Structure formats: structure tokens, C-alpha cells
Amino acid sequence: MKLEFNLPGKLIAALLLAFVLGGCQVFTETQSRSEVMGTGDLGLIIERASGSVLVINTSRHEVLGRIDGLGDLSHASVVYSRDARYGYVFGRDGGLTKVDLLSQSVVDRVIQSGNSIGGAISQDGRYVAVSNYEPGGVKVFDSQTLELVAEIPATYTSGEGQVGQSKTVGLVDAPGNLFVFSLFEAGEIWILDMSDDSAEVTRFEAGESPYDALITPDGRYYIAGLFGEDGLSLLDLWNPAQGVTEILPGYGKGEQKLPVYKMPHLEGWAIADGRAFVPAVGHHQVLVADMNDWSLVDRIPVQGQPVFVMASPDNRQIWVSFAHPNNDVVQVIDSQTRDIVRTLEPGSAVLHMEFTPRGEEVWVSARDSNRVTVYNTRTLEPVATINAEKPSGIFFTSRAHALGL
């Protein structure tokens, strides 16, 4: 039996048009969904020689793109917005650049000084602060617009009565919308309060020539390393009225110091199992301090002068990188036994290490080998390599949700 349908021509045309448009709509929605990407497993790798950064996906071990035009990145660092979409890149030339990880583009860029050395983002994400060498001081910017909000010159009076402007180092964010930083020439630690419009500064005397600093993961202790003496300066931010106290005094007393080829980076201190693992300045040692009273409890001999001493997220491993001329290896220390369990060779001129948020992998940059090697932290074997042009700092977006990073 044959069925026949006699539909008007206009109705047939309308049905065909609806089918075509419907098909286009489905395609467009599918395409849009495929382009949507979260930022939780993204990060940036600094390419120091070319003034660029790579946008990478940590789960896929993949380079998503390159962002150029960021200036002098010979000593660069990155912090992230609260939503982990935007990275703020601090360049050595005083440049502060806001980049969009999703569009892989520069959002805004300002040259805010002649020479800068890193920065931080406030607890509430509203402010980005930059630490400067020339002229010495800290500048604070609106994180949305990069408009200048506050300028804090690091002025001080020397013992001879001369007024100077000090290099600022060790800038970190602290709870309460505070920024804390150290003054190299002045030998001081300052707290900058950005909880209101006053931008009030509180000053503390510290030891001789603080060169870098860190804040403990709970935001309580700010600790500055001292280049001018064997020891460190500690400020309890819960009880700042107590002032600065000295910890690990004289850890190198009676020992001959070696030439210091590269200053340790205290941001990479390892805090594990109630102990602090500290790079010793001018010694082939990692110092171990009891955080209950900050007494020195052990010295771990290592193969060179340590630069980064970093704990895995589970605190079971301590990864150590080194200064020239022994900077082609990384040593892994068991945090319980304090034994070196493996010496790895990621490439020539290892500069930086970064753990994935849950610690299953660590990414290690080797500048002169033009690559980043990814290691499995359980097997200590390489699982991937990423090509990069003179890579240095590696910064994952998980830093957006941690103090002091």
C-alpha cells in the first residue's frame, strides 16, 4: 500500500530550514563545549631568554601556547588571581604583566620600576604588590586594572646618619591583607597593612643583610635568611609586638664558608613533620630545625650548595637543587630517615622545581638543556619531557590558593 503526503511547498521549506538551523545550533554548542577549559591543572613556565611564558596543562603534559612580549625574565616569578585565570608575571626589568591563561594573551602591562625582584597578591585578591631594587621599595596595584594604589619607599637611616633607599626582598602575602618584606641594606622587616586605605607600615629591626624570606604555610612565622651572618630572623605575625628573634644562630661557626655562587631561595623551604629543612648559605648542607623551639637538630650533607629545598605535598620527600658548578643534579631526601635516596640528572643548569597540587609528580626545569622533565614522585622515574626555550621558573595555578606563593 503506497502512502502519499501532499505538503504545501512553504511548509516543506520551513521544515528544511528548521532542520538546518537546528543542526547548526547543535554543532555550535558542541564546539563551544569543547573549547571550555578550567584552569585548575594549568600553569606557566618562564622562558627567561626570550621574554615569554609557556601555558601548560599539567594533566596532559602539554604546551597549550606561548605568550610573548613580557620583557626581561632573567629573574621572574608569578602569582595568580583567585579564580586562577590570570597570572601576574614579575620581570627583572620592573615589568608587571597580567596574562590570561585561557586566551593565552597579555591583558595589561606596566613598567613600575627600574629593577624588581618578585611580588605577591593579597589574601582577598584585590592587590598585587611588587618588590623593587631600583628604586628600593614596594608598590601596590589594583589586580583588576593594574592602577597604582600605594607606593612605599624603603627609606632608612644608616649608622652614619645618611638617608638611603634599600632594596626590598622576601615579599610575601600574609593573613589580614598584609604584605611582609625585608630591607637588604637597612636590615629591617616591614609589615604593610592593606586591610584599609591607610597602607600603614610597621617596622622591625632584623639581622644583617636579609636576602630572602618565607612565610610558614599557616601564615604565622615570617623568616628571613641573613647574608651577613650565620643565622635567620623570625617574626611571629600572631605576636608581632614581641619583635624579631634570631634562630639557628651560628650554624656555620668554626667552619670555612665556600664562595656563594647563587643565593638560596627561601620560598622553597621544606616544612615537614614538625621540622624545617633549610638551605645553608655557603655550605654543602641542608639544615634541619625543630619548629617547636627552632633549634638545630641535624645537618644533612649534600653534593653542593643548595638553592631550593622543597617538600613534596605529603611531606615524605625533600627535593634539593644546587648552585653552580654542581647544578646539573637534584637530590631526593627521605624526610623521616634524612637519607639521600636518589640523585637525579634532569639536565644542564637546573633552576626550578614545582610539585603538582597532590604531589604525584614534580616538574624540573633545566635551562641549558632547553627542557622540563616531569618525574613520578613514587618511582622517581621521568614520565615526560617538555621542550622550552631556556626554562626557569615553573608556576602552577594551585598557587592561587596558598599563602606566601
Side-chain angles (χ1 to χ4, degrees):
M1 179 178 179
K2 184 177 180 181
L3 298 177
E4 294 184 358
F5 295 92
N6 296 314
L7 298 176
K10 288 185 178 180
L11 179 57
I12 293 173
L15 289 172
L16 287 173
L17 180 61
F19 175 80
V20 171
L21 290 178
C24 288
Q25 183 177 13
V26 170
F27 173 76
T28 302
E29 289 175 353
T30 303
Q31 186 181 46
S32 298
R33 282 197 297 271
S34 69
E35 293 175 350
V36 171
M37 181 184 296
T39 59
D41 61 352
L42 302 186
L44 295 172
I45 296 175
I46 303 293
E47 295 185 308
R48 56 184 288 146
S50 55
S52 56
V53 294
L54 296 179
V55 182
I56 50 92
N57 182 297
T58 64
S59 298
R60 302 201 300 257
H61 303 147
E62 180 182 0
V63 175
L64 301 180
R66 174 180 280 113
I67 306 174
D68 296 301
L70 278 66
D72 183 356
L73 300 184
S74 59
H75 191 292
S77 60
V78 180
V79 298
Y80 291 99
S81 59
R82 286 168 64 95
D83 62 3
R85 176 173 179 175
Y86 300 103
Y88 301 87
V89 183
F90 306 100
R92 195 59 186 261
D93 57 0
L96 168 60
T97 309
K98 182 178 181 179
V99 300
D100 186 334
L101 275 70
L102 295 183
S103 66
Q104 298 159 32
S105 62
V106 172
V107 177
D108 203 354
R109 174 172 165 82
V110 296
I111 301 297
Q112 54 84 43
S113 75
N115 189 334
S116 61
I117 197 67
I121 190 165
S122 62
Q123 185 179 37
D124 64 5
R126 287 191 298 160
Y127 304 117
V128 175
V130 189
S131 179
N132 291 315
Y133 274 10
E134 297 175 6
V138 168
K139 290 184 179 179
V140 183
F141 298 85
D142 183 289
S143 64
Q144 295 291 325
T145 64
L146 295 193
E147 293 181 357
L148 183 65
V149 173
E151 183 170 359
I152 314 297
T155 55
Y156 73 102
T157 303
S158 69
E160 291 75 30
Q162 295 180 333
V163 176
Q165 199 154 333
S166 177
K167 299 181 184 70
T168 53
V169 296
L171 173 64
V172 301
D173 60 287
N177 257 24
L178 306 179
F179 292 110
V180 190
F181 53 94
S182 297
L183 282 65
F184 182 80
E185 288 86 359
E188 296 180 356
I189 296 172
W190 289 12
I191 297 177
L192 170 61
D193 188 346
M194 291 300 298
S195 61
D196 53 33
D197 295 332
S198 65
E200 182 180 353
V201 171
T202 306
R203 305 169 62 153
F204 301 88
E205 293 291 332
E208 184 180 351
S209 303
Y211 65 86
D212 197 8
L214 63 84
I215 189 170
T216 52
D218 59 3
R220 176 169 184 175
Y221 296 108
Y222 178 85
I223 302 170
L226 304 176
F227 186 68
E229 56 189 274
D230 286 336
L232 303 100
S233 293
L234 179 145
L235 178 61
D236 184 347
L237 298 176
W238 292 7
N239 303 286
Q242 296 177 357
V244 172
T245 58
E246 186 179 15
I247 62 173
L248 302 182
Y251 65 77
K253 189 175 182 180
E255 300 179 15
Q256 182 177 359
K257 274 191 177 182
L258 300 171
V260 178
Y261 296 105
K262 183 175 177 63
M263 295 303 295
H265 282 252
L266 297 190
E267 179 194 303
W269 266 32
I271 305 294
D273 194 27
R275 303 284 189 269
F277 293 77
V278 184
V281 178
H283 301 284
H284 292 183
Q285 297 176 345
V286 172
L287 309 177
V288 184
D290 186 332
M291 291 183 65
N292 291 315
D293 58 8
W294 295 102
S295 60
L296 181 63
V297 297
D298 201 0
R299 301 167 183 259
I300 303 173
V302 289
Q303 64 93 46
Q305 294 181 25
V307 174
F308 282 100
V309 178
M310 302 178 67
S312 57
D314 63 3
N315 291 338
R316 290 298 305 275
Q317 298 172 341
I318 311 298
W319 288 60
V320 185
S321 66
F322 300 95
H324 176 83
N326 301 311
N327 60 345
D328 296 346
V329 304
V330 170
Q331 291 190 307
V332 184
I333 299 171
D334 184 298
S335 64
Q336 289 189 309
T337 66
R338 301 172 195 164
D339 294 329
I340 295 172
V341 296
R342 189 75 64 91
T343 297
L344 306 171
E345 298 181 358
S348 181
V350 172
L351 291 187
H352 201 263
M353 303 176 290
E354 182 85 336
F355 289 94
T356 50
R358 295 193 178 189
E360 76 283 358
E361 293 177 346
V362 61
W363 292 44
V364 183
S365 64
R367 180 194 63 203
D368 295 347
S369 295
N370 293 307
R371 69 171 180 255
V372 172
T373 303
V374 183
Y375 288 93
N376 180 298
T377 53
R378 182 179 60 85
T379 65
L380 301 181
E381 296 295 332
V383 295
T385 57
I386 308 294
N387 294 324
E389 298 178 11
K390 303 297 181 185
S392 55
I394 306 170
F395 304 91
F396 296 158
T397 54
S398 53
R399 289 171 170 255
H401 312 296
L403 284 168
L405 294 178

